[in-house]
Structure formats: C-alpha cells, structure tokens
Amino acid sequence: MKELQFLEEQQVSPSLIREVEIFRESYEVSKEVKNRIVKPPIPFYGKEILEMAIAALLQGENLLLSGSKATGKNILAENLAWIFCRPSYNISFNVNTDSSSLIGTDTFADNEVRLRKGPVYQCAVNGGFGIFDEINMAKNDAVSVLHATLDYRRIIDVPGYDKIELHPAVRFIGTMNYGYAGTKELNEALVSRFLVIDMPPLEEETLMMILKENFPDAKEEGLKHFAGLFLDLQLKAQNSEISTKPMDLRGMIGALKTIRAGISPRKAVTMGITNKSFDIFEKEIIGDIVMTRIPEDWTGEEVF
C-alpha cells in the first residue's frame, strides 16, 4: 500500500506494518466521510517515534504528543490518521473551548430541538481519529467531559440524548507545546488517559529529509545552509538566548518558496524567520546568525 511504503523505507517493524494492514482491512470508512482521509503534506521521519505511536494506537490507546515548537507533533498526528486510513477530525483548543464545542449543542430545526453534533461526537460515530490541537490551552473543566470518552468506558453521554458508544476504530491524539501564552498544566485525570510521547528536537538528517521532500528541485548544498540556520536557531532557543518565535519551520519553508519565486535568499529569510521576532535586540541576534549561514550576495541560483 502506498500509504505504508514510507514506513518500510524507514525500516519500521514489519509486524507492526502487518498489524496496520489488518486494522485497515477490518474497519471500512463510509463514503460520507472519505473526504476526511487526508494525505499529509510531508511524511513523518523518525522510526522509533513511529513504532511507539503505531503500537499504542493498535492496542486501542490514545496518544499525547508533547514537546517544544517545530518537533513535528501535528505532522505525526496527520500521518498516523493517514497510515491507519481513518477520517481525521481536527479540534483546535483555546480558552473559550467548552463541552458544547466538543460534543455538540442544541439547535432548532424543522420545528424541533435537535443536537448539532460537534467534532468529537462525529469522530466517535464515524470511527475517526480525533486530533486535539494544543490540548493544554483549554480550561480543565472543558476537557473533563471527555473523561468517559477517553478511558475504558469509551462512551459519550449527552444529557437529554442517547448514550453514544465509540466506534472500535476511534482514537484520540492530543498535541501540546510548552510555554505558549495561554497554556496550562493538564490535570492528572486527563493525562492518565493518554500514553505520552515526548517529541525530540529536529536533527540535521531529519531536517534535510523534510526540506528535500518539499523542494526536490533545490540544490543540496543550498538546503544544507538553511538546515544549519534552523539548527543554530534551535540551539540558541534551547539555551534561552532567543525565544522560539524565529525557530519556525513553516516560516523557513515559506521563505524557500519565495526564493523559488525570485526573491533573494536574504530577503526571504527576513520575511520567514527574522521578522517573526518583534524584539529589536533579539532581531539583532537572529540577524547575526543568519549572516553566518546566508550570505547577503546570494541569489536564488545558489538554492535552486
């Protein structure tokens, strides 16, 4: 299967791949939600992390992916839904998230009160993978409604409506960043319902794979300079010399796209990386790092 080929390329355990194939064959997806099976923009690279995540999901466990910025949490979650061929339901948590935005709320239609089903309800019925993005942004009392959904009971009990039992293929994957504004500690009862994977920082080999996947037409030497820039920023952020704002892989990929469109590398990096910081002193530090990796006289031909 095409979806599983990249697992074989990373030498993921053949027994796990076979178990995934059996899982996919066991649970068909209805036509109504097939459009929710979305191929991620890039594969996730990391054999050990993939094996841990796949093994947990095969055993019916839910996953919590924790770690700092740019460690690939969302990419891994999307890849897992694709690997298992399940419709995905993305729920972005924030301080205003409440039980009705997760499970559903009453609405008036055809002269009667009906339940407008929320993403968790739809995920439960359709056998999807629910991706809880930034789960530590929500208030604890909001996610407490999920306790019965996430543990051995696997039910949703909506007051005034029927009790919903989860489809056997349903899994939930939470992601959380450290130190973002508005985040808080997850309560113990919620964390106990997940197996937790602490995502490691990106390494040069993995970063080069990601950049080559996005820019197959780029020169390897040029990409190495950008990978080196990202790793320099990552090290500075780990040592608390700068914030994590400029350590932005999405910004770097966006910068490379504008270089391909004709913008000079230094201007592209200014837009994608340097200007992500709004502190003048931090910008100077970032500018010095950029200067060592991306010469000012570079043109797009150095990269593409």
Side-chain angles (χ1 to χ4, degrees), residues 203-222:
E203 297 177 351
E204 184 176 13
E205 183 183 357
T206 306
L207 190 51
M208 283 299 292
M209 285 179 180
I210 292 169
L211 293 178
K212 285 177 183 177
E213 183 74 28
N214 278 277
F215 303 100
D217 54 336
K219 294 176 180 174
E220 183 163 358
E221 194 58 39

Side-chain angles (χ1 to χ4, degrees), residues 145-157:
V145 300
L146 299 175
H147 286 178
T149 310
L150 295 169
D151 66 18
Y152 68 93
R153 289 168 284 182
R154 292 178 62 82
I155 61 169
I156 297 176
D157 209 343

